[in-house]
Amino acid sequence: PGDPVDAGRCATASRPWVLAATILASAMAFIDGSVVTIALPVIQRELDADFVAAQWVVSGYALFLAALLLVGGAAGDRFGRRKLFVTGITVFAAASLLCAAAPGIDMLIAARVAQGIGAALLVPQSLAILSAAFPPEIRGRAIGTWAGAASITTALGPAVGGFLIDGLGWRAAFWINLPLAALAVLLALRHVPESRSGTAGPLDWRGAVLAVLASALLTVGLTSLVEPGRRLPAAGAVVLGVLAGMALIRNERRVAAPLVPLELFADRAFAGANLLTLALYGALSGILF
């Protein structure tokens, strides 16, 4: 009963703290991608890793963040946005601790995968919490502030990363997440009200599995294409990834509560903004690498 968004509104005095919590948590996820890319040469040298393994330090994180982002957003609508937000921050912080203590490249890649899972839980909740916590007349300003802060922190990533790596070593890029995560969790527990969607249907587990499969197969295939002797299996993985993506689209058209309502892409502004974002961050990631 009632507006499910109104149920998540926060007190006026809590609004700056809610905004601060979402910015802090998202900044960890955004900065981590650029900082670790800058640290790759040092990591590769100190952990005696080859080029492909070093690539997976970045790709493992990006893969699970991208593959589970839709699932994370849908789960927050159904099980509670603050709960998933705090869970994601906690997973991200624990994985950062493992990254900082990793004795070898395999452990580091596994910990980066766990970081990606944590980021996939916390990032979509950040915007959902702002939408629920702020009334419509100031919601746009709050989201704009969040987006501006995200852009600034992402841009600062290489500079901050270079400073930390030169002064304290590459492990400091992960240690710094721990106090930020602790502060974000504290602010969330004290100021963010719990909210969920009263109209969300059951979670689309089939779509979730297909999204993970499509992302994983495409990432593995495209990454492995550079490895001598593995081009045929890599090409097979790419083909299977494309097929899984097609199955995902078919599933989203038929399921009652899709992870991504495909009719959104009929809106030219929505589709155009997504294409622009793909081009922008694709170029940014390539330049950083």
Side-chain angles (χ1 to χ4, degrees), residues 54-138:
Q55 272 188 305
W56 275 105
V57 174
V58 174
S59 298
Y61 175 79
L63 165 61
F64 279 82
L65 170 57
L68 297 175
L69 195 64
L70 298 175
V71 183
D77 288 342
R78 289 155 178 81
F79 306 128
R81 292 161 183 147
R82 186 180 73 167
K83 183 187 299 182
L84 269 291
F85 183 66
V86 171
T87 300
I89 296 171
T90 304
V91 170
F92 192 91
S96 296
L97 180 61
L98 291 176
C99 287
I105 194 67
D106 292 338
M107 178 69 175
L108 180 59
I109 292 171
R112 287 284 288 164
V113 165
Q115 270 193 319
I117 294 171
L121 294 177
L122 74 89
V123 169
Q125 311 318 322
S126 298
L127 277 175
I129 285 170
L130 292 179
S131 295
F134 285 78
E137 60 271 17
I138 60 171

Side-chain angles (χ1 to χ4, degrees), residues 146-214:
W146 177 89
S151 300
I152 291 169
T153 53
T154 302
L156 286 174
V160 172
F163 175 79
L164 289 173
I165 294 159
D166 281 347
L168 301 171
W170 64 267
R171 296 178 191 273
F174 299 107
W175 286 120
I176 198 172
N177 290 331
L178 302 183
L180 296 177
L183 181 56
V185 167
L186 178 64
L187 291 174
L189 293 177
R190 292 191 64 177
H191 296 284
V192 176
E194 185 59 279
S195 65
R196 54 177 56 84
S197 173
T199 59
L203 190 62
D204 177 18
W205 290 108
R206 182 186 300 169
V209 170
L210 287 170
V212 172
L213 275 176

